[in-house]
Amino acid sequence: MALAVVSGASRGIGRAIAEKLSDSNWDLALLARSADELNGIKSGITERGRTAQPYKCDIADEAEIK
């Protein structure tokens, strides 16, 4: 199993990278500030047959990184 961590995964370049990785048989840990948008991208990835675990966090905020 290949696992990738993608920050900013809910939109823009991060989302495009997450989708491309899932198409290339990667399972994903998805990080972004919006839980709703993360759940949307997770649904799309699981429909492709891959595993995606969303994590709501802002990596610019040190207190949120655990």
Side-chain angles (χ1 to χ4, degrees):
M1 172 181 77
L3 176 67
V5 177
V6 181
S7 63
S10 63
R11 59 175 90 154
I13 293 170
R15 184 178 186 134
I17 290 169
E19 291 171 345
K20 186 68 171 176
L21 287 169
S22 71
D23 289 341
S24 298
N25 296 319
W26 286 79
D27 290 319
L28 303 167
L30 306 170
L31 285 67
R33 293 178 291 180
S34 170
D36 291 337
E37 291 181 25
L38 277 173
N39 288 325
I41 185 72
K42 176 187 174 183
S43 295
I45 289 170
T46 56
E47 287 173 5
R48 291 176 164 91
R50 302 309 309 168
T51 300
Q53 183 61 47
Y55 296 94
K56 180 189 173 301
C57 71
D58 182 352
I59 62 171
D61 183 352
E62 189 174 327
E64 286 196 30
I65 300 174
K66 300 172 185 162

